[in-house]
Amino acid sequence: MSFASDHPRAVLLGAQAAAMVLPVCDHYSGVPARMEKSLRLQAELAEEFGGTCMFDVTLDCEDGAPVGGEHAHAQAVAALARQARPGMRVAVRVHAPGHVAFEDDVATIVGEAAAHLCHVMVPKVEGPDDVTRAAQLVDQAGGQALPLHVLIESPLAVHHAFEIAAHPRVQSLSFGLMDFVSAHGGAIDAEAMDSQGQFQHPMVLRAKLALAAACHAHGKTPSHCVVTEFADPQAIRHAAQQARQLSYTRMWSIHPAQIRPILAAFAPRQQAIDEAVQIIEAAHAAQWAPISFQGVLHDRASYRYYWQVLERAWRTGQPLPTLVRHWLNDSPAP
């Protein structure tokens, strides 16, 4: 996507100006009735926020397909993706590369619904070779334009996180908490899988930070793991706030009740939005030359930060003035 020469993205982000700005919430569902409900909720929330897709819906084969019924489930997922409202972001999580259903998932779903998918999530990736194989299969099925999202779930995958994030087809890395903990053979206690313990165990924290650093090094999106206590609104709020502290810009939801708390937790504070609006509008008026704002010098380095505040406000549904909304509507949209 091209921009006017004075568009904030073109001026401030350089080569990354055309990068996709992903929604902050990625909602997973795999049971047919819940997949249908998720797609309806996605469309309803888009209506509420003026037509903007506020969260991804990822239709799940890995945890959704019954054993022995993988092909039928893949066909159902492809049909649901084709029926989704135009403009909505619908993805699929296929089975892992080592699973017998992996190739059939890709061939069936991408082959039947590539034009209706925003990306393919590949779980249990161990290194860049797994990504290359997945990309080749997606391409063979007709999904040459589809980005790959990758789920990092083992110590070896964490070790290779920078190489995986560097792959040109990868758009986002997600952290798989429960598989990561269980991959340690009992060396990490079960408490490290709950909403609070996952932010306290040093091995889990180290893995999360490594994944986030790999993503930011290569301009990819780090996506935080699930909170399984889906009936506890305080648990999801706390975890989302902690995820932001670890430099994550996106988070999984596994229950409809978790979507709005994630949007709220990843939204900038109103004071930060107001300040960003004033600085970016003043910078634009100065043709992006340095300015003084409330006695503080600002230039393109700080403009970049404040522009990203506005992008985060936009994809969390915060009200913004007309000029800023115009710029954001001209950006690569979720």
Side-chain angles (χ1 to χ4, degrees):
M1 183 174 184
S2 60
F3 300 91
S5 60
D6 67 342
H7 189 286
R9 270 192 155 250
V11 173
L12 303 176
L13 302 187
Q16 294 183 351
M20 178 64 71
V21 180
L22 297 179
V24 302
C25 181
D26 188 8
H27 180 66
Y28 277 69
S29 56
V31 177
R34 291 175 185 166
M35 291 191 287
E36 293 177 7
K37 181 179 179 180
S38 298
L39 292 171
R40 289 196 301 271
L41 180 59
Q42 184 186 49
E44 290 168 4
L45 213 60
E47 287 288 339
E48 179 181 336
F49 287 94
T52 300
C53 183
M54 298 305 298
F55 64 94
D56 286 359
V57 169
T58 298
L59 306 175
D60 196 356
C61 290
E62 186 183 37
D63 286 344
V67 176
E70 290 89 354
H71 181 69
H73 189 83
Q75 290 178 312
V77 163
L80 282 171
R82 293 196 304 270
Q83 296 165 16
R85 172 179 160 175
M88 297 296 97
R89 288 180 49 86
V90 180
V92 58
R93 174 165 67 161
V94 296
H95 282 86
H99 194 282
V100 66
F102 172 63
E103 293 189 6
D104 184 68
D105 279 354
V106 174
T108 301
I109 300 168
V110 176
E112 296 180 13
H116 303 272
L117 298 173
C118 58
H119 64 265
V120 174
M121 164 57 80
V122 185
K124 296 180 173 60
V125 165
E126 294 292 307
D129 289 348
D130 287 337
V131 180
T132 297
R133 178 186 170 213
Q136 290 170 344
L137 290 171
V138 168
D139 289 351
Q140 290 169 13
Q144 292 88 346
L146 283 175
L148 299 182
H149 290 202
V150 170
L151 190 52
I152 303 294
E153 303 179 76
S154 73
L156 182 61
V158 171
H159 177 72
H160 290 302
F162 277 80
E163 298 170 76
I164 295 169
H167 196 288
R169 199 61 172 274
V170 169
Q171 187 179 59
S172 174
L173 301 186
S174 291
F175 181 63
L177 172 65
M178 288 174 284
D179 278 281
F180 178 81
V181 171
S182 62
H184 285 76
I188 300 177
D189 291 337
E191 288 77 8
M193 293 188 286
D194 67 35
S195 62
Q196 296 188 39
Q198 64 177 284
F199 295 102
Q200 297 169 355
H201 195 284
M203 288 292 285
V204 175
L205 274 176
R206 173 182 173 273
K208 289 185 181 187
L209 290 169
L211 188 150
C215 284
H216 290 298
H218 292 287
K220 310 300 172 69
T221 299
S223 186
H224 196 267
C225 56
V226 300
V227 169
T228 55
E229 302 98 314
F230 59 82
D232 183 352
Q234 181 57 34
I236 187 66
R237 283 195 294 269
H238 171 78
Q241 290 162 357
Q242 292 293 315
R244 278 194 59 192
Q245 289 293 314
L246 298 181
S247 303
Y248 282 77
T249 58
R250 179 171 160 96
M251 186 169 181
W252 286 33
S253 158
I254 55 170
H255 189 278
Q258 295 181 327
I259 294 170
R260 288 183 187 270
I262 290 173
L263 292 176
F266 279 86
R269 292 174 291 106
Q270 187 60 50
Q271 181 180 350
I273 297 172
D274 294 342
E275 185 176 38
V277 166
Q278 294 177 65
I279 289 172
I280 291 298
E281 288 184 343
H284 180 256
Q287 298 181 317
W288 307 108
I291 64 168
S292 172
F293 178 77
Q294 296 182 352
V296 177
L297 175 68
H298 289 279
D299 59 16
R300 293 193 186 192
S302 57
Y303 298 160
R304 185 178 303 115
Y305 167 80
Y306 288 106
W307 172 253
Q308 290 164 340
V309 169
L310 297 180
E311 288 191 323
R312 184 153 47 90
W314 175 54
R315 60 185 190 263
T316 53
Q318 307 306 302
L320 293 165
T322 301
L323 177 60
V324 173
R325 287 203 314 273
H326 170 74
W327 281 328
L328 289 163
N329 286 332
D330 284 343
S331 296

